[in-house]
Amino acid sequence: MTRPTIDHTHNAAATSWVEGANGHPDFPVQNLPFGVFSTDGEDARGCVAISDFVLDLRNVYDADLMEDGDDLLHYASLATLNDFFAMPNGPSQLRAKLFAALTDDGYKSAMEPCLVPMEQAHMHLPFEIRDYTDFYTGIHHAVNIGSLFRPDNPLLPNYKHVPIGYHGRASSIRVSGTDVKRPSGQQKPAEEGGMPEFGPSKRLDYELEMAIWIGQGNELGDPIPVGEAEEHIAGISILNDWSARDIQAWEYQPLGPFLAKNFASTVSPWVVTMDALAPYRTAQPARAEGDPEPLPYLQHDTSAAAFGVTMEVHLTTPKMRQDGDAPFRLSKGPMTAMYWTAAQLVAHHSVGGCNMQPGDLLGTGTLTSGEEGGEGSLIELTEGGKKAITLPNGETRTFLEDGDEVVMVAYAEKDGFARIGLGECRAVITR
Amino acid sequence: MTRPTIDHTHNAAATSWVEGANGHPDFPVQNLPFGVFSTDGEDARGCVAISDFVLDLRNVYDADLMEDGDDLLHYASLATLNDFFAMPNGPSQLRAKLFAALTDDGYKSAMEPCLVPMEQAHMHLPFEIRDYTDFYTGIHHAVNIGSLFRPDNPLLPNYKHVPIGYHGRASSIRVSGTDVKRPSGQQKPAEEGGMPEFGPSKRLDYELEMAIWIGQGNELGDPIPVGEAEEHIAGISILNDWSARDIQAWEYQPLGPFLAKNFASTVSPWVVTMDALAPYRTAQPARAEGDPEPLPYLQHDTSAAAFGVTMEVHLTTPKMRQDGDAPFRLSKGPMTAMYWTAAQLVAHHSVGGCNMQPGDLLGTGTLTSGEEGGEGSLIELTEGGKKAITLPNGETRTFLEDGDEVVMVAYAEKDGFARIGLGECRAVITR
């Protein structure tokens, strides 16, 4: 397996018999991301998104609608996609087969009954997530956060050598649409040497990240070379790594964030595959003239190692929803704000021998564009909570309030190709 | 379920028909820790340790040797103990039933064929570990490590308020007896602003810890009150949280340890239950006069909230093994070096809403006694690698060398009660 190339499945002129698929902003036939869903009373099974439908792959399998010598459909129709994405080339082959069927009118009458309208589909996490690692690749975010603490020297000396990351909590990751309960925790004493306060976080924030999913794993003690790292990536989704800034500020020395993050993380339900992303590859941009060369184990051809994906964060308050106001866009920026490539993250993670497993989730870290309007978190937008933002209806926010809904979206566009989307990563804050 | 009390299963005078069980230093009938094993060519199944045997619970179940209305034996005989320890009172009931059978000669002829000599049993991890958290409760260790960096102010201001912890890597945890491959990684540049080195760690260390296993979990958003926290603990084992000090020193700012720890952790195979530990409970000792009161969510009756467990670390070098030398004891100290109780760790971990799951592993952090000879790591024993230790055969060590074997043992003793042991946590360093 090598990096997927652009082929007939990316042809912008290809059309599908599925209603609304052609020109669909997220899920035209050129995308076909995998997910897991259930309907009322039924158990969870694999699917792909097409237009405003999910294609129930268990039904496609049970009805024997497609040639499937490799049992691909069986694995893709299970309640988690771990085993499916562990198959070398499996997802790639199945995506191509589904593309063929969905663009061939001869399949329409047999396959149409396997389409379920999205509003009837309850989406689940696509994987059983065994380990979750969050990186810190957003260099503009790292500079902004570092500046709050060390104005003269925001980036630590290791930043441009080591892909900084830490282990996160897997058990509390939930799929888009699940409410997030505001965490309580210890907050820094008002005076030095005083008792910490305890109570609901007053500085609850989102973090705009992308999720990189591991497909094939590696054995313990057997690092993944950077040149092979992309073969271990299943695809990407959108990740909101909720953060309680006041809890974080008090607890994080000396071992890093803990309760400030582990109450919840939210991920979008669709795994957009490396195959689907082939046309939107671009040069890794966030390294600049004068930056140090990476160590050899991190060196690879970065000319098309990044993803031309645009990300947005939108907010609605309870009042806005009551008044029927449109969501307010808080930020927009490119995934190319990553200092390290996805391949470099995988190579670094495993270089000491750590074993990756199918369904492991790697967060990119907060991706801030470096330009105004591209801040990936409220702590950046409000300069540490000091400058409230004003919404169109006159409400203000420093951090999130109860009832606020945060919706992240992401998509890839390129001249000559269809636009494809990653769907939504959405959640409401509750008390 | 409340805290287990001392009952007939702790009677030191109780005897078993199993050969060698009476007076066995680790596994008399008063202990009966649970584990998972396989023999050559057979699949993994649950067991208990008794004397120098494992009792194959699948065979006991299949042969219908015990009354078992609750299907306890079925769950205890699976390939992981997650579901078994999630049963309220299940492990407690089964331990009592097994105690009755193993002390009743009437069971001998039928049950003896279910005993497998330990040397024929390949032990497995007792749980599928979903999330691993490592705490930092060893206050003497925290002072020692802090002193290396900040001689005047070794403990950070949050230490006596917040049970400091971080998420670790679950995938690379292995059972005792599995070799540990020395990790490679980035090490701090020799000169400020220079390029980091890359290569095998030169400062590979062990960390003497105890593992606390979660039995019953909690729902996301629904914290475990400290008064109920012990009901969520399945039992304890020995944990070696291997650490590459040179990798750690360069990578850990600002988000904590990552590759320095995630290449391997080693855990002993036996889950010594809260029931078995009942006689050895003791007061939580590491908090001292003048220490701040914990916040209310961490307050509970600590008069018997700690475990009177003694831990030891032994080393053999390749030359020592070749010469037939006895292992050299590097340290010995009590588990009561924890500043926080196990119940406080569970309450803190979940107080923001984080959900714990059966089989989650909580490490205590390195437990150093505070007295000479009680150091829980080589970085402490050698004062940061500056003072080599000399072994009885004249060899010296600052950090671990290839071929070195580290063996940790732990046991509980109390006048009037049998001694019980946790077994061994053993591994050899390989290149």
Side-chain angles (χ1 to χ4, degrees), chain A residues 340-408:
Chain A
W340 302 100
T341 66
Q344 287 169 329
L345 300 186
V346 172
H348 180 69
H349 202 316
S350 66
V351 73
C354 182
N355 56 322
M356 318 295 289
Q357 300 183 114
D360 282 350
L361 191 162
L362 310 187
T364 57
T366 308
L367 296 178
T368 287
S369 72
E371 293 176 21
E372 202 176 319
E375 296 83 358
S377 63
L378 280 172
I379 197 171
E380 294 170 87
L381 265 174
T382 66
E383 298 177 19
K386 289 194 289 284
K387 289 176 74 167
I389 53 170
T390 303
L391 304 176
N393 68 355
E395 290 184 284
T396 61
R397 285 292 182 273
T398 47
F399 291 97
L400 295 169
E401 301 192 2
D402 294 343
D404 285 355
E405 182 171 51
V406 178
V407 184
M408 298 175 174

Side-chain angles (χ1 to χ4, degrees), chain A residues 128-136 156-158 161-172 174 181-186 193-198 220-223 248 250-259 262-264 292-295 297-298 348-357 360, chain B residues 128-136 156-158 161-172 174 181-186 193-198 220-223 248 250-259 262-264 292-295 297-298 348-357 360:
Chain A
E128 181 187 65
I129 304 170
R130 298 292 295 276
D131 271 298
Y132 161 41
T133 297
D134 201 20
F135 282 96
Y136 196 53
L156 292 170
N158 57 9
H161 298 285
V162 183
I164 297 291
Y166 68 102
H167 302 294
R169 180 81 189 178
S171 72
S172 55
R174 290 293 179 273
K181 190 170 166 186
R182 180 183 300 273
S184 287
Q186 292 194 30
M195 280 294 286
E197 286 182 57
F198 181 86
L220 186 64
D222 189 14
Q248 187 173 356
W250 175 229
E251 74 173 2
Y252 89 107
Q253 290 281 19
L255 298 178
F258 182 45
L259 299 193
N262 72 9
F263 57 96
E293 278 296 303
L295 283 167
Y297 80 94
L298 294 172
H348 180 69
H349 202 316
S350 66
V351 73
C354 182
N355 56 322
M356 318 295 289
Q357 300 183 114
D360 282 350
Chain B
E128 181 187 65
I129 303 170
R130 299 291 294 276
D131 271 298
Y132 161 41
T133 296
D134 202 19
F135 282 96
Y136 196 53
L156 293 169
N158 57 9
H161 298 285
V162 184
I164 296 292
Y166 67 101
H167 302 294
R169 180 81 189 177
S171 73
S172 56
R174 291 292 180 273
K181 190 170 165 185
R182 180 182 298 273
S184 288
Q186 293 193 29
M195 279 295 285
E197 286 182 56
F198 181 87
L220 185 64
D222 189 14
Q248 188 174 356
W250 175 230
E251 75 173 1
Y252 89 106
Q253 290 280 19
L255 297 179
F258 182 45
L259 299 193
N262 72 10
F263 57 96
E293 278 296 302
L295 283 167
Y297 80 94
L298 294 172
H348 180 69
H349 202 316
S350 66
V351 73
C354 181
N355 56 322
M356 318 295 289
Q357 299 182 114
D360 283 349

Side-chain angles (χ1 to χ4, degrees), chain B residues 83-320:
Chain B
D83 289 345
F84 174 59
F85 274 103
M87 300 171 82
N89 294 315
S92 186
Q93 286 174 31
L94 186 56
R95 176 175 168 279
K97 285 170 189 267
L98 290 167
F99 179 90
L102 290 164
T103 53
D104 179 347
D105 288 346
Y107 281 85
K108 179 173 176 179
S109 62
M111 206 174 261
E112 209 162 31
C114 301
L115 294 173
V116 178
M118 277 195 181
E119 66 265 24
Q120 292 171 24
H122 309 296
M123 298 307 298
H124 297 244
L125 286 176
F127 294 98
E128 181 187 65
I129 303 170
R130 299 291 294 276
D131 271 298
Y132 161 41
T133 296
D134 202 19
F135 282 96
Y136 196 53
T137 70
I139 187 167
H140 306 296
H141 172 72
V143 168
N144 288 347
I145 295 295
S147 299
L148 294 175
F149 296 100
R150 301 172 302 275
D152 296 336
N153 184 26
L155 276 190
L156 293 169
N158 57 9
Y159 188 85
K160 291 182 175 179
H161 298 285
V162 184
I164 296 292
Y166 67 101
H167 302 294
R169 180 81 189 177
S171 73
S172 56
I173 301 172
R174 291 292 180 273
V175 74
S176 175
T178 312
D179 288 348
V180 168
K181 190 170 165 185
R182 180 182 298 273
S184 288
Q186 293 193 29
Q187 296 146 29
K188 205 169 184 169
E191 293 160 31
E192 206 174 317
M195 279 295 285
E197 286 182 56
F198 181 87
S201 171
K202 301 180 195 78
R203 291 164 67 93
L204 184 58
D205 202 352
Y206 58 82
E207 290 196 334
L208 173 61
E209 305 198 12
M210 297 298 292
I212 297 162
W213 299 101
I214 298 296
Q216 298 171 67
N218 63 303
E219 294 299 317
L220 185 64
D222 189 14
I224 299 171
V226 67
E228 297 171 16
E230 286 192 6
E231 301 172 23
H232 294 262
I233 298 175
I236 64 174
S237 300
I238 310 165
L239 177 66
N240 184 344
D241 187 44
W242 306 95
S243 297
R245 302 296 181 192
D246 39 7
I247 296 173
Q248 188 174 356
W250 175 230
E251 75 173 1
Y252 89 106
Q253 290 280 19
L255 297 179
F258 182 45
L259 299 193
K261 304 271 192 177
N262 72 10
F263 57 96
S265 309
T266 306
V267 69
S268 61
W270 297 109
V271 181
V272 175
T273 62
M274 296 292 271
D275 294 286
L277 291 165
Y280 317 98
R281 305 291 295 240
T282 183
Q284 194 231 5
R287 290 187 57 243
E289 198 67 27
D291 285 343
E293 278 296 302
L295 283 167
Y297 80 94
L298 294 172
Q299 288 178 11
H300 70 136
D301 176 2
T302 60
S303 61
F307 303 98
V309 169
T310 303
M311 310 167 301
E312 299 182 8
V313 185
H314 299 259
L315 177 73
T316 63
T317 67
K319 182 169 190 312
M320 287 167 70

